[in-house]
Amino acid sequence: MLALLCIVPFILILSSSLTDESKIVVDGFQLFPSEFSLEAYKILFKYPDQMINAYIVTIAVTAIGTIAGLFLTSMTAYCLSRKDFKWRNHFSFYFFFTTLFSGGLVPWYLLIVNYLHMKDTALALIVPLLFNVFYIIVMKSFMSGIPEAITESAKIDGAGDFLIFMRLILPLSKPALATIGLFLALGYWNDWYNALLFISNEKLMPLQYYLYKMLGNMDGMRKAMMGSGAVVTTSLPTEGLKMAMTIVASGPILIAYPFVQKYFVRGLTIGAVKG
Amino acid sequence: MIRHRFWNDLNKYKVILFMLAPAVLFYLLFAYIPMVGIILAFKHYDYAGGVFGSPWNGLDNIRFFFESGDAWRVTRNTALYNIAFIVVNNLLQMFAAIFLFEVGGKWFRKITQTVIFLPYFISWVVVGAIAYNLLNSDIGTVNVLLKSFGMEPVDIYNTPEYWPFILVFVSAWKMLGYGTVMYLAAITSIDTEMYEAAEIDGANIFQRMMRVTIPNLYPTIIILVLLAVGNIFRGDFGMFYNMVGNNGVLFSSTDVIDTFVFRSLITTNEIGMSAAAGVYQSILGFTTIMLVNYAVRKYDKDRALF
């Protein structure tokens, strides 16, 4: 029952995107398309410039952000997991405290816009999500489980701290890396908040924010279509188009989901058991 | 002598410190420096002056925030929504986990788990589109169904009374899979001998659930709930903003601190008031986390956050 409830909305969206617009306006959205039509998708793919652009932005931001975030998270976690590092608790608290208290949205926003001048740059989409205290903690508790003898023996062989991290710890941390990497990737892929705050340049709009814009005003959609040279008639299938956009924007997640799901479950389980 | 040892350590850890530098800088820049920005709550912000050059206006921002009546409304909404989310979500997740553990074959369990985890993976924007599809006054599925049963359609986007139920439902829908996995992990780590013993003593499924599973889940439940309680004054901005947006008609039942702060900053540009509300939220949050931590310490020292 519950499971059914979880999947019905997706079928609804899919069917709505496949229904003839005039049918939607008269009868509303329905679970099965009463009058099958690919019109919405045709229009969507006829002038795909901006959508493709949004896809490219999202893919690039996700790739760069995930790789950089993963590297920095694991490097930080490694330092905190080193038992012979005397100041590790101080640093842990330094990071942890930021989850307890913050200056709020306003100073953070003003810092990024007025002082770091990151408005309308790709950095605004990538940098704020690079670090997450929760991910550092999960990674750290995983690395703490790696036997110390390994680092010890490498040290005797004359390896430096960074080399130990790159050559020994990273390869041994694959399960944790996969999990945190997926979490980071999902976060970047689904992010629209930083775009909402910082991006007004259409060239830098990521997919979810583009979808958000399109849902919010169809005028914007008309303009986008016109901008790409379409002759827009009043019969633009707005409702069907919204739903088609939704499908296209969430498509990759829905397709990749069954394959990555088990890593998420494993990762969550690691986190849950370690507390 | 002590000085000497400090420099020694510094030298010994120089590579590690270097490796920590990005994270330290990141949090300095994006977390600690904004804390200084709290002074904005006591200033009349103007663009020429910036954070430090703007004139002070004492407690005016905070007074406006409280006198406008918004403070009470958003605080109440934030707290009540989070309490409802905590109770409903945890009960459902626990129920689903126990159900999955007890019933059905491997296949059934796998498919169900996959399906209920799916909503967690889509963005709030997509959830907003789904809500629009379901709830739209003219063409939404809910109203289509109502009409087909010969009932009057309801104008959901103009009726604040419906929204607490809708939002609690949506939150439960999106988070069900995530929490179920957590609880399932806890259940599978329960010693199977306890179940075998219960079975020998003649316990049925229901008794096993009440006497073995649930008591063994207490630590997990308490930790998950207490962690959530610590965040009781933080609204899920993505959820509220994509479900409701700037629909003022619904604010009486949907406005939370996070949406209020965002609106004052971006839409109405009342930076001082927005900062004041943000600081108010931070202080409320910090206080509850401290209280929660104190409570956890009393219950079980090892489980405390710090």
Side-chain angles (χ1 to χ4, degrees), chain B residues 79-216:
Chain B
L80 287 182
Y81 272 115
N82 278 317
I83 291 169
F85 293 159
I86 293 168
V87 172
V88 172
N89 290 5
N90 278 290
L91 279 178
L92 275 178
Q93 290 158 2
M94 201 166 59
F95 174 77
I98 294 175
F99 179 80
L100 280 182
F101 182 72
E102 295 280 355
V103 184
K106 213 178 151 203
W107 254 90
F108 173 79
R109 204 184 295 179
K110 262 208 168 128
I111 289 178
T112 313
Q113 195 183 325
T114 306
V115 169
I116 62 175
F117 209 174
L118 182 59
Y120 180 76
F121 283 79
I122 56 169
S123 74
W124 279 114
V125 181
V126 173
V127 178
I130 292 175
Y132 172 83
N133 183 313
L134 283 169
L135 306 176
N136 186 280
S137 311
D138 304 317
I139 52 176
T141 314
V142 170
N143 276 327
V144 171
L145 277 177
L146 284 179
K147 274 187 246 172
S148 73
F149 291 132
M151 287 191 276
E152 277 296 300
V154 283
D155 192 0
I156 298 169
Y157 279 99
N158 282 315
T159 319
E161 288 78 26
Y162 296 140
W163 283 84
F165 300 100
I166 295 170
L167 290 169
V168 169
F169 180 85
V170 169
S171 169
W173 176 76
K174 199 164 192 296
M175 298 310 292
L176 178 65
Y178 189 89
T180 302
V181 168
M182 299 275 240
Y183 278 113
L184 207 51
I187 295 177
T188 17
S189 68
I190 296 173
D191 197 346
T192 43
E193 270 176 36
M194 291 174 90
Y195 286 103
E196 281 154 18
E199 222 158 324
I200 291 167
D201 290 347
N204 59 29
I205 286 193
F206 184 71
Q207 283 167 326
R208 275 199 333 237
M209 244 160 70
M210 296 307 289
R211 294 285 159 79
V212 182
T213 312
I214 293 182
N216 273 295

Side-chain angles (χ1 to χ4, degrees), chain A residues 3 6 16 27 29 75 84 86 94 99 102 106 111 114-115 127 131 190 192 208 212 239 242 257 261, chain B residues 9 13 19 24 26 29 32 45 51 114-115 117-118 121 123 132-133 139 144 173 234 238 241-242 274 282:
Chain A
C6 284
S16 309
D27 296 344
F29 295 123
M75 192 162 77
D84 58 334
K86 209 159 72 182
Y94 173 83
T99 64
S102 79
V106 179
L111 172 85
N114 291 356
Y115 294 88
V127 176
F131 285 99
N190 279 344
W192 52 278
Q208 303 298 328
Y212 168 81
E239 300 305 333
K242 282 182 188 176
Y257 165 68
Q261 192 229 156
Chain B
D9 283 343
Y13 298 140
M19 288 167 79
V24 171
F26 178 89
L29 201 57
Y32 286 98
Y45 186 81
V51 174
T114 306
V115 169
F117 209 174
L118 182 59
F121 283 79
S123 74
Y132 172 83
N133 183 313
I139 52 176
V144 171
W173 176 76
R234 287 186 200 160
Y241 197 71
N242 280 294
S274 184
S282 279

